[in-house]
PDB file of all heavy atoms in Angstrom:
ATOM      1  N   ASP A  32     192.189 -15.798  58.746  1.00 84.00           N
ATOM      2  CA  ASP A  32     191.796 -16.299  60.065  1.00 84.00           C
ATOM      3  C   ASP A  32     190.785 -15.361  60.706  1.00 84.00           C
ATOM      4  O   ASP A  32     190.860 -14.141  60.552  1.00 84.00           O
ATOM      5  CB  ASP A  32     193.021 -16.465  60.970  1.00 84.00           C
ATOM      6  CG  ASP A  32     193.633 -15.144  61.375  1.00 84.00           C
ATOM      7  OD1 ASP A  32     194.339 -14.542  60.536  1.00 84.00           O
ATOM      8  OD2 ASP A  32     193.399 -14.709  62.510  1.00 84.00           O
ATOM      9  N   ILE A  44     201.779   3.297  78.086  1.00 78.00           N
ATOM     10  CA  ILE A  44     201.533   2.449  79.246  1.00 78.00           C
ATOM     11  C   ILE A  44     201.329   3.306  80.484  1.00 78.00           C
ATOM     12  O   ILE A  44     202.102   4.238  80.751  1.00 78.00           O
ATOM     13  CB  ILE A  44     202.706   1.478  79.465  1.00 78.00           C
ATOM     14  CG1 ILE A  44     202.872   0.583  78.232  1.00 78.00           C
ATOM     15  CG2 ILE A  44     202.483   0.635  80.708  1.00 78.00           C
ATOM     16  CD1 ILE A  44     204.071  -0.317  78.310  1.00 78.00           C
ATOM     17  N   ASN A  45     200.297   3.000  81.231  1.00 73.00           N
ATOM     18  CA  ASN A  45     200.009   3.709  82.472  1.00 73.00           C
ATOM     19  C   ASN A  45     200.901   3.151  83.576  1.00 73.00           C
ATOM     20  O   ASN A  45     200.733   2.011  84.007  1.00 73.00           O
ATOM     21  CB  ASN A  45     198.533   3.541  82.833  1.00 73.00           C
ATOM     22  CG  ASN A  45     198.151   4.343  84.070  1.00 73.00           C
ATOM     23  OD1 ASN A  45     198.966   5.077  84.630  1.00 73.00           O
ATOM     24  ND2 ASN A  45     196.900   4.207  84.486  1.00 73.00           N
ATOM     25  N   MET A  64     179.464 -21.148  82.531  1.00 88.00           N
ATOM     26  CA  MET A  64     178.316 -21.068  81.633  1.00 88.00           C
ATOM     27  C   MET A  64     178.583 -21.991  80.447  1.00 88.00           C
ATOM     28  O   MET A  64     179.392 -21.685  79.571  1.00 88.00           O
ATOM     29  CB  MET A  64     178.102 -19.625  81.165  1.00 88.00           C
ATOM     30  CG  MET A  64     176.794 -19.403  80.426  1.00 88.00           C
ATOM     31  SD  MET A  64     176.552 -17.658  79.949  1.00 88.00           S
ATOM     32  CE  MET A  64     176.431 -16.881  81.563  1.00 88.00           C
ATOM     33  N   SER A  70     181.660 -32.487  75.992  1.00 87.00           N
ATOM     34  CA  SER A  70     182.791 -31.864  75.316  1.00 87.00           C
ATOM     35  C   SER A  70     183.782 -32.905  74.823  1.00 87.00           C
ATOM     36  O   SER A  70     183.867 -34.019  75.348  1.00 87.00           O
ATOM     37  CB  SER A  70     183.498 -30.890  76.261  1.00 87.00           C
ATOM     38  OG  SER A  70     184.072 -31.594  77.347  1.00 87.00           O
ATOM     39  N   SER A  83     184.697 -30.432  94.029  1.00 96.00           N
ATOM     40  CA  SER A  83     184.855 -31.056  95.348  1.00 96.00           C
ATOM     41  C   SER A  83     185.735 -30.205  96.261  1.00 96.00           C
ATOM     42  O   SER A  83     185.788 -30.440  97.472  1.00 96.00           O
ATOM     43  CB  SER A  83     185.468 -32.458  95.199  1.00 96.00           C
ATOM     44  OG  SER A  83     186.820 -32.385  94.764  1.00 96.00           O
ATOM     45  N   LYS A  97     169.107 -21.602  84.432  1.00 68.00           N
ATOM     46  CA  LYS A  97     169.047 -21.041  83.091  1.00 68.00           C
ATOM     47  C   LYS A  97     169.200 -19.521  83.160  1.00 68.00           C
ATOM     48  O   LYS A  97     168.684 -18.874  84.069  1.00 68.00           O
ATOM     49  CB  LYS A  97     167.716 -21.380  82.410  1.00 68.00           C
ATOM     50  CG  LYS A  97     167.349 -22.860  82.447  1.00 68.00           C
ATOM     51  CD  LYS A  97     168.354 -23.725  81.704  1.00 68.00           C
ATOM     52  CE  LYS A  97     167.928 -25.192  81.740  1.00 68.00           C
ATOM     53  NZ  LYS A  97     168.930 -26.088  81.142  1.00 68.00           N
ATOM     54  N   LYS A 101     170.484 -11.491  78.584  1.00 78.00           N
ATOM     55  CA  LYS A 101     171.605 -11.493  77.665  1.00 78.00           C
ATOM     56  C   LYS A 101     172.849 -11.980  78.398  1.00 78.00           C
ATOM     57  O   LYS A 101     172.976 -11.827  79.609  1.00 78.00           O
ATOM     58  CB  LYS A 101     171.833 -10.090  77.098  1.00 78.00           C
ATOM     59  CG  LYS A 101     170.694  -9.602  76.209  1.00 78.00           C
ATOM     60  CD  LYS A 101     170.985  -8.221  75.657  1.00 78.00           C
ATOM     61  CE  LYS A 101     169.853  -7.758  74.747  1.00 78.00           C
ATOM     62  NZ  LYS A 101     170.097  -6.392  74.211  1.00 78.00           N
ATOM     63  N   LEU A 106     176.653 -12.588  83.142  1.00 85.00           N
ATOM     64  CA  LEU A 106     178.028 -12.560  83.632  1.00 85.00           C
ATOM     65  C   LEU A 106     178.208 -11.477  84.689  1.00 85.00           C
ATOM     66  O   LEU A 106     178.913 -11.676  85.686  1.00 85.00           O
ATOM     67  CB  LEU A 106     178.994 -12.332  82.468  1.00 85.00           C
ATOM     68  CG  LEU A 106     179.186 -13.509  81.509  1.00 85.00           C
ATOM     69  CD1 LEU A 106     180.042 -13.100  80.319  1.00 85.00           C
ATOM     70  CD2 LEU A 106     179.819 -14.693  82.222  1.00 85.00           C
ATOM     71  N   PHE A 115     185.906 -15.875  90.287  1.00 97.00           N
ATOM     72  CA  PHE A 115     186.527 -16.626  89.193  1.00 97.00           C
ATOM     73  C   PHE A 115     185.471 -17.084  88.186  1.00 97.00           C
ATOM     74  O   PHE A 115     184.327 -17.361  88.549  1.00 97.00           O
ATOM     75  CB  PHE A 115     187.263 -17.863  89.722  1.00 97.00           C
ATOM     76  CG  PHE A 115     188.293 -17.563  90.772  1.00 97.00           C
ATOM     77  CD1 PHE A 115     188.040 -17.856  92.109  1.00 97.00           C
ATOM     78  CD2 PHE A 115     189.512 -16.985  90.436  1.00 97.00           C
ATOM     79  CE1 PHE A 115     188.980 -17.583  93.086  1.00 97.00           C
ATOM     80  CE2 PHE A 115     190.454 -16.706  91.410  1.00 97.00           C
ATOM     81  CZ  PHE A 115     190.191 -17.003  92.738  1.00 97.00           C
ATOM     82  N   ARG A 140     186.026  -7.886  86.278  1.00 89.00           N
ATOM     83  CA  ARG A 140     185.473  -8.228  87.588  1.00 89.00           C
ATOM     84  C   ARG A 140     185.777  -9.657  88.027  1.00 89.00           C
ATOM     85  O   ARG A 140     185.731  -9.951  89.216  1.00 89.00           O
ATOM     86  CB  ARG A 140     183.958  -8.006  87.591  1.00 89.00           C
ATOM     87  CG  ARG A 140     183.552  -6.562  87.328  1.00 89.00           C
ATOM     88  CD  ARG A 140     182.055  -6.392  87.452  1.00 89.00           C
ATOM     89  NE  ARG A 140     181.600  -6.611  88.817  1.00 89.00           N
ATOM     90  CZ  ARG A 140     180.330  -6.861  89.132  1.00 89.00           C
ATOM     91  NH1 ARG A 140     179.423  -6.956  88.186  1.00 89.00           N
ATOM     92  NH2 ARG A 140     179.978  -7.036  90.387  1.00 89.00           N
ATOM     93  N   ASN A 162     195.946 -25.971  83.001  1.00 91.00           N
ATOM     94  CA  ASN A 162     196.922 -26.966  82.560  1.00 91.00           C
ATOM     95  C   ASN A 162     198.261 -26.851  83.279  1.00 91.00           C
ATOM     96  O   ASN A 162     199.113 -27.735  83.150  1.00 91.00           O
ATOM     97  CB  ASN A 162     197.141 -26.853  81.047  1.00 91.00           C
ATOM     98  CG  ASN A 162     196.018 -27.480  80.257  1.00 91.00           C
ATOM     99  OD1 ASN A 162     195.523 -28.541  80.608  1.00 91.00           O
ATOM    100  ND2 ASN A 162     195.591 -26.821  79.190  1.00 91.00           N
ATOM    101  N   ILE A 177     194.327 -17.575  96.646  1.00 96.00           N
ATOM    102  CA  ILE A 177     194.203 -16.256  96.032  1.00 96.00           C
ATOM    103  C   ILE A 177     193.179 -15.386  96.758  1.00 96.00           C
ATOM    104  O   ILE A 177     193.413 -14.200  96.999  1.00 96.00           O
ATOM    105  CB  ILE A 177     193.826 -16.387  94.542  1.00 96.00           C
ATOM    106  CG1 ILE A 177     194.994 -16.951  93.742  1.00 96.00           C
ATOM    107  CG2 ILE A 177     193.421 -15.028  93.962  1.00 96.00           C
ATOM    108  CD1 ILE A 177     194.700 -17.111  92.271  1.00 96.00           C
ATOM    109  N   ASP A 223     197.264 -30.139  49.484  1.00 86.00           N
ATOM    110  CA  ASP A 223     197.192 -31.513  48.986  1.00 86.00           C
ATOM    111  C   ASP A 223     196.165 -32.339  49.748  1.00 86.00           C
ATOM    112  O   ASP A 223     195.552 -33.250  49.196  1.00 86.00           O
ATOM    113  CB  ASP A 223     198.565 -32.185  49.087  1.00 86.00           C
ATOM    114  CG  ASP A 223     199.590 -31.518  48.177  1.00 86.00           C
ATOM    115  OD1 ASP A 223     199.187 -31.057  47.094  1.00 86.00           O
ATOM    116  OD2 ASP A 223     200.768 -31.462  48.557  1.00 86.00           O
ATOM    117  N   LYS A 227     194.363 -33.502  56.344  1.00 87.00           N
ATOM    118  CA  LYS A 227     195.585 -33.380  57.130  1.00 87.00           C
ATOM    119  C   LYS A 227     195.667 -32.018  57.798  1.00 87.00           C
ATOM    120  O   LYS A 227     195.970 -31.907  58.987  1.00 87.00           O
ATOM    121  CB  LYS A 227     196.814 -33.593  56.246  1.00 87.00           C
ATOM    122  CG  LYS A 227     198.137 -33.433  56.999  1.00 87.00           C
ATOM    123  CD  LYS A 227     199.324 -33.578  56.080  1.00 87.00           C
ATOM    124  CE  LYS A 227     200.630 -33.469  56.861  1.00 87.00           C
ATOM    125  NZ  LYS A 227     200.728 -32.218  57.650  1.00 87.00           N
ATOM    126  N   GLN A 236     193.461 -32.864  71.950  1.00 92.00           N
ATOM    127  CA  GLN A 236     193.748 -33.671  73.130  1.00 92.00           C
ATOM    128  C   GLN A 236     192.506 -33.814  74.005  1.00 92.00           C
ATOM    129  O   GLN A 236     191.540 -33.068  73.869  1.00 92.00           O
ATOM    130  CB  GLN A 236     194.888 -33.042  73.945  1.00 92.00           C
ATOM    131  CG  GLN A 236     196.220 -33.001  73.220  1.00 92.00           C
ATOM    132  CD  GLN A 236     197.301 -32.376  74.075  1.00 92.00           C
ATOM    133  OE1 GLN A 236     197.073 -31.404  74.792  1.00 92.00           O
ATOM    134  NE2 GLN A 236     198.501 -32.935  74.023  1.00 92.00           N
ATOM    135  N   TRP A 238     191.389 -34.632  78.254  1.00 91.00           N
ATOM    136  CA  TRP A 238     191.848 -34.780  79.635  1.00 91.00           C
ATOM    137  C   TRP A 238     191.316 -36.089  80.203  1.00 91.00           C
ATOM    138  O   TRP A 238     190.118 -36.385  80.110  1.00 91.00           O
ATOM    139  CB  TRP A 238     191.364 -33.608  80.487  1.00 91.00           C
ATOM    140  CG  TRP A 238     191.966 -33.593  81.860  1.00 91.00           C
ATOM    141  CD1 TRP A 238     193.217 -33.180  82.200  1.00 91.00           C
ATOM    142  CD2 TRP A 238     191.342 -34.021  83.069  1.00 91.00           C
ATOM    143  NE1 TRP A 238     193.418 -33.317  83.550  1.00 91.00           N
ATOM    144  CE2 TRP A 238     192.278 -33.836  84.112  1.00 91.00           C
ATOM    145  CE3 TRP A 238     190.088 -34.541  83.378  1.00 91.00           C
ATOM    146  CZ2 TRP A 238     192.002 -34.145  85.430  1.00 91.00           C
ATOM    147  CZ3 TRP A 238     189.803 -34.860  84.698  1.00 91.00           C
ATOM    148  CH2 TRP A 238     190.754 -34.660  85.706  1.00 91.00           C
TER     149      TRP A 238
END
Side-chain angles (χ1 to χ4, degrees):
D32 69 283
I44 300 175
N45 184 3
M64 190 178 295
S70 65
S83 69
K97 309 297 181 185
K101 294 181 179 179
L106 288 174
F115 304 105
R140 299 184 66 198
N162 282 319
I177 290 180
D223 295 326
K227 178 183 182 305
Q236 296 180 321
W238 189 78

